[in-house]
Each structure stands twice: as structure tokens, then as C-alpha cells.
Amino acid sequence: NRFKDRMKKLEVQNTMETSAASYYLGSLATEVMVAIYGFDKFLELTKKIKDQDFGIAFKDTYGLSTDEFYEKLAPYVWAQIPKI
């Protein structure tokens, strides 16, 4: 999907713009995770990523893959981007 493709591009590009976009998208994703699952679950994830791959820790904590989460997150993110 379009959102996932854009997320993957942010991973490989290293510019000031992509860094800013990455932080912004990360803050939106964190906002959604905390709003839906609570802060304790978010803390659980942060503890697990010390010892596990992020994708595995995410799936173990939230019960869905990062790709599945991106699909659910996409409508919220698109709604936050101002229309030009």
C-alpha cells in the first residue's frame, strides 16, 4: 500500500526532511499505540526491544505485525497531513 511504501522509503533515505518525517510519523504511531493499548503496553514494548528485534517485540506486545499496524495507522496519518 502507499503508506507502507512511503515508510520503507524513509528507512533508506537519510536527509533532514526524511528525519523530520520519521520523527513526526513515529510520534503519531506512538500516540495511537498509547491511546488504544495504554501506556503500560508501550512500556512493555520499550523493555522488549532491548533484547528482541523490533518486529518480534511489537508482535509479541500488540498481537499484530508492524505491517498490519501500518495498515491500521495509515488512515489516521493521512488525516493529519494538511491538504495543499
Side-chain angles (χ1 to χ4, degrees):
N1 78 30
R2 194 174 84 180
F3 181 72
K4 192 167 90 174
D5 291 343
R6 295 237 177 139
M7 295 293 286
K8 297 259 184 232
K9 284 181 184 177
L10 290 176
E11 291 176 12
V12 296
Q13 296 174 347
N14 190 17
T15 66
M16 188 181 308
E17 292 83 12
T18 57
S19 292
S22 293
Y23 279 104
Y24 178 64
L25 292 172
S27 70
L28 292 176
T30 300
E31 180 180 311
V32 168
M33 289 186 294
V34 171
I36 293 173
Y37 298 100
F39 189 68
D40 289 340
K41 273 287 192 196
F42 183 74
L43 287 178
E44 181 182 328
L45 173 66
T46 60
K47 290 175 184 176
K48 287 179 181 177
I49 60 176
K50 292 178 186 177
D51 300 320
Q52 290 180 328
D53 171 77
F54 181 80
I56 294 169
F58 192 91
K59 176 103 175 164
D60 187 40
T61 304
Y62 294 108
L64 64 157
S65 71
T66 53
D67 285 348
E68 292 167 320
F69 178 69
Y70 287 158
E71 286 180 30
K72 294 179 182 296
L73 178 65
Y76 177 73
V77 171
W78 291 128
Q80 305 308 309
I81 298 172
K83 306 288 186 256
I84 298 176

